[in-house]
Amino acid sequence: MKQPAMSQSTKRIFLLAVTASMLLINACTNVRIIESQVQSTPQWTGSAPSKAFYRWDRLPADVNNPQAGWAEVQLESALAPLGWTRNDLEAQYTIWVGVRTAEFIADPWGRPVRSPWANHLQISVGSGYRAHGVGVGVGMSTGLPPFGRAGFPPPSGYAQEVSIIIRDLNTSNVVYQTKATHEGPWADHANILSAMMAAALQGFPNPQVRNRRVDTTISR
């Protein structure tokens, strides 16, 4: 028995459905969801300030560290929409920000075999003190004596961490501390760390949940 021909209107609906499905699939393949585990500890002596002036606080090891300069540039952009402005002369708070990334060796399920921070590969992300671009520097040992352990297993993933500490200049007490961590296969560390910085500031300055997972969508 001959099947009835598809009507023009049915064909149009079918083509539109196929096109929409292809666009949706393409959109999904062009984005990534960065899952960050965030721990925030607000310790404001009074109500959390919605606006404030701050200046940077650097550890001695960070003074000439381009990675620290890059992190400050990123954080300054992230804090501005939240009402926090850098003003070294009228600062009420100091802010320290640290970022780090390490390679880890994973088991078949993607879990780190050992602590990523104990491995032989460390990655630095930085652009100096001004936003002139982002560079990635990689240093590694061969894994051969006397510089490391025998063998050199291939990398399987990366662990990233962003830490932010805010102190009250009047008391020198820490009034806000937040940290975001992430483990995944992505090697574009500048993009991942920027997403994690936004995750670490989620709910700032008074997040309702202190320990939480924050998902951030970025492009591939």
Side-chain angles (χ1 to χ4, degrees):
M1 182 176 179
K2 187 177 180 179
Q3 296 294 327
M6 184 182 294
S7 66
Q8 290 296 323
S9 59
T10 304
K11 287 182 179 179
R12 292 193 188 96
I13 294 173
F14 175 76
L15 289 174
L16 287 173
V18 171
T19 302
S21 298
M22 293 180 65
L23 290 173
L24 180 60
I25 292 173
N26 184 61
C28 291
T29 57
N30 287 330
V31 298
R32 292 169 289 174
I33 297 178
I34 306 303
E35 300 176 357
S36 299
Q37 299 299 323
V38 179
Q39 297 178 337
S40 301
T41 308
Q43 295 178 304
W44 307 106
T45 54
S47 58
S50 58
K51 295 182 179 181
F53 294 134
Y54 67 89
R55 70 177 184 228
W56 297 121
D57 181 22
R58 284 197 170 193
L59 300 176
D62 295 331
V63 172
N64 296 313
N65 183 2
Q67 182 172 315
W70 177 86
E72 290 171 355
V73 170
Q74 300 301 308
L75 184 56
E76 185 171 349
S77 297
L79 284 172
L82 303 178
W84 280 58
T85 307
R86 181 183 174 185
N87 187 328
D88 293 353
L89 296 179
E90 301 179 42
Q92 303 154 282
Y93 301 92
T94 63
I95 299 181
W96 174 85
V97 55
V99 297
R100 60 176 181 165
T101 301
E103 177 193 357
F104 64 80
I105 308 304
D107 63 16
W109 295 272
R111 299 171 302 192
V113 174
R114 62 183 187 272
S115 172
W117 313 115
N119 287 340
H120 50 266
L121 177 61
Q122 295 287 330
I123 296 93
S124 295
V125 181
S127 61
Y129 295 91
R130 295 288 183 265
H132 293 314
V134 175
V136 177
V138 179
M140 68 182 72
S141 70
T142 63
L144 300 175
F147 304 103
R149 304 187 311 165
F152 185 63
S156 296
Y158 299 92
Q160 287 104 342
E161 181 179 290
V162 173
S163 298
I164 301 170
I165 298 176
I166 302 178
R167 293 181 181 272
D168 188 326
L169 272 172
N170 290 327
T171 63
S172 296
N173 293 332
V174 174
V175 292
Y176 195 86
Q177 185 171 2
T178 184
K179 180 175 71 173
T181 58
H182 169 77
E183 293 178 355
W186 312 110
D188 53 333
H189 307 295
N191 293 327
I192 303 300
L193 291 169
S194 295
M196 293 173 60
M197 198 169 291
L201 290 174
Q202 190 260 351
F204 178 84
N206 195 20
Q208 296 182 353
V209 181
R210 297 191 175 190
N211 300 325
R212 60 207 185 274
R213 193 187 89 174
V214 179
D215 293 343
T216 309
T217 302
I218 64 174
S219 60
R220 287 185 181 272

